[in-house]
Amino acid sequence: MANIIVAKTAGFCFGVKIAVDMAKEAGEKLGSAYTNGPIIHNKQVVEFLEKLNVKELPDKSVLKEGDTVIIRSHGVPPKTERELKSIGVNLLDATCPFVKKVHDKVRQLAEEGYFVVIIGEEGHPEVIGTLGHLEEVGGQGVVVENFEDLVKKLPRRNKIGVVAQTTQNEDFFREAVGYIAENSDEVKIFNTICDATSVRQEEVKQIAPNVDIMIIIGGKHSGNTQRLAQISKALNPNTYHIEKADELQEEWFEGKEKIGISAGASTPDWIINEVVEKIKQIKGV
Amino acid sequence: MANIIVAKTAGFCFGVKIAVDMAKEAGEKLGSAYTNGPIIHNKQVVEFLEKLNVKELPDKSVLKEGDTVIIRSHGVPPKTERELKSIGVNLLDATCPFVKKVHDKVRQLAEEGYFVVIIGEEGHPEVIGTLGHLEEVGGQGVVVENFEDLVKKLPRRNKIGVVAQTTQNEDFFREAVGYIAENSDEVKIFNTICDATSVRQEEVKQIAPNVDIMIIIGGKHSGNTQRLAQISKALNPNTYHIEKADELQEEWFEGKEKIGISAGASTPDWIINEVVEKIKQIKGV
């Protein structure tokens, strides 16, 4: 009897899942909605949502009272939220809870008198939102992307507060806080890096050695999916990296009863479900 | 006309200077005193103080009411201070103000709910004193000397506080705080490393290129004095490293009018003064 194990952390991270679900629900129940920027960089998801009349907002000028606008997982500056509200739109906030935590922490640091260093990408939507929250409470801060940036921008202050963009690379984070601590009297750091990627990899490490075959779903060019497949293959040579259900081959499953599945960060649930259904069909369960 | 410039940061660091002065004064005014451990690792200073009847305390059992005990710059745990007071001794506290700051900071961190990581040497008198202050307020913490220590001892806690032994090497401090921040949610760091050594080097960098000859005083085997001489020589080839005034040679000073002087951390003022006087004699000023 075939046994299919789908990793709990397969596919979308928590924040993206909430945002896509919200967009889907808005389309289905309200008939139309805008998202402030693309909800996710996945063509199939965007096409699916467009069929539900959920589209990226081209410009605020097209909005009229009563329109629905979904704030995507990256979040926005409070000023943007106020502007949208002043138009009288129906605002649905899908800001990732982990991003909201960054907003809270920069506010807290500013209120406690810290100059805030945001370790992340200048101009990234998430960072723009975070800077907006810092500005809102009259705080001061800088964004640093790399070591050169840090050396140039770190001021000589008594109290330095640090947060990171949720998707920040850990190597630079570690290097940056070391330098900041060495060059400051007091440093308060909130490690706001989201561990979705590492947790997803951990779960594959748990599942792969205990199954007969492992299926990793996600774009062939997706870096995080490739890495997931690599890790899986190292622990179980019967690992296959596919993009969609129709790539599955019956012979892979001959004599294989325990089947493990995980998926990269931009793989929607319905693609995972299609894969599960196809495997059930192959195995006759 | 010869011009002799003595670096302000030459010789003893601030904390050691206070402790040695206090010991000298106690000997001169009170006729005798004990120090809890050697005040400094410099034979000439210890011999000088012994002549004033200021000696290292062999054991608490020798103490009687009214004896004078000098707490040296490293500080002590509050418990030790209470024990000495309970004997009824006259307690003179020469704990370095920078070490006292570490005591205050570990107390603050513990009271704010942080688990405290002390980056320093296990069993070092300064660290023993700091741990005593942490214990005093019911705080929890560990001492980490190297990376292996850190990986083994860092607990998985929400809030980690960090301080350093005042003489901690900056390279490991930087590495340690990076690792701690990467593996914790919230980290509050007080950089309590004393910059006496780097400030002393900085001053030599300022003086050496602007004088005709540079004299660096300190033990030939003293690491910090050797480094000071190296830095000076790189900026002024007319650099001489001596231990005492009688090593000075008249010909070094021929045609040299601007004379710079600095000294390593364990060089007492009177040795520096002897050097200055000898140079004045050579130059006839």
Side-chain angles (χ1 to χ4, degrees), chain B residues 142-195:
Chain B
V142 287
V143 180
V144 300
E145 290 195 10
N146 52 46
F147 196 73
E148 201 191 329
D149 240 14
L150 176 60
V151 172
K152 277 189 200 156
K153 294 180 183 172
L154 182 70
R156 183 64 210 159
R157 298 285 177 94
N158 284 340
K159 295 174 74 175
I160 304 286
V162 180
V163 296
Q165 185 177 327
T166 56
T167 52
Q168 175 61 46
N169 160 291
E170 297 215 337
D171 289 340
F172 176 55
F173 176 74
R174 192 173 51 232
E175 189 187 14
V177 301
Y179 179 82
I180 295 167
E182 197 188 349
N183 290 284
S184 314
D185 295 331
E186 178 182 337
V187 185
K188 190 164 180 175
I189 303 163
F190 291 105
N191 182 348
T192 51
I193 297 175
C194 174
D195 56 4

Side-chain angles (χ1 to χ4, degrees), chain A residues 250-262:
Chain A
E250 290 194 16
E251 59 266 35
W252 296 349
F253 297 90
E254 276 165 22
K256 307 284 191 291
E257 297 306 322
K258 281 191 94 175
I259 299 149
I261 294 175
S262 189

Side-chain angles (χ1 to χ4, degrees), chain B residues 19-20 22-28 30-35 39 45-57 68 70:
Chain B
V20 172
M22 200 181 270
K24 187 166 163 270
E25 211 177 300
E28 286 168 354
L30 304 171
S32 79
Y34 289 111
T35 64
I39 278 265
V45 176
V46 171
E47 280 172 3
F48 171 85
L49 291 172
E50 279 176 353
K51 280 183 202 149
L52 295 175
N53 212 14
V54 178
K55 293 171 190 164
E56 192 183 333
L57 178 65
T68 294
I70 299 163

Side-chain angles (χ1 to χ4, degrees), chain A residues 39-111:
Chain A
I39 278 265
I40 186 178
H41 292 110
N42 176 301
K43 214 184 145 202
Q44 290 154 296
V45 177
V46 170
E47 280 172 2
F48 171 85
L49 291 173
E50 278 176 354
K51 280 184 202 149
L52 295 175
N53 213 16
V54 177
K55 293 171 192 164
E56 192 183 332
L57 179 65
D59 189 274
K60 266 174 224 148
S61 63
V62 307
L63 289 173
K64 48 187 193 310
E65 217 179 310
D67 280 349
T68 294
V69 178
I70 300 162
I71 294 175
R72 61 185 170 160
S73 42
H74 306 83
V76 290
K79 207 178 133 196
T80 304
E81 210 177 312
R82 276 198 300 274
E83 281 169 8
L84 290 169
K85 279 182 182 164
S86 75
I87 298 170
V89 301
N90 172 29
L91 208 59
L92 299 179
D93 187 0
T95 306
C96 169
F98 296 118
V99 173
K100 282 202 169 156
K101 197 178 151 194
V102 186
H103 297 170
D104 291 345
K105 294 308 179 191
V106 292
R107 281 169 176 265
Q108 181 188 334
L109 287 170
E111 280 158 2

Side-chain angles (χ1 to χ4, degrees), chain A residues 170 174 182 185 187 189 191, chain B residues 170 174 181-182 185 187 189:
Chain A
E170 297 215 336
R174 193 174 51 231
E182 197 187 349
D185 295 331
V187 185
I189 303 162
N191 181 349
Chain B
E170 297 215 337
R174 192 173 51 232
E182 197 188 349
D185 295 331
V187 185
I189 303 163

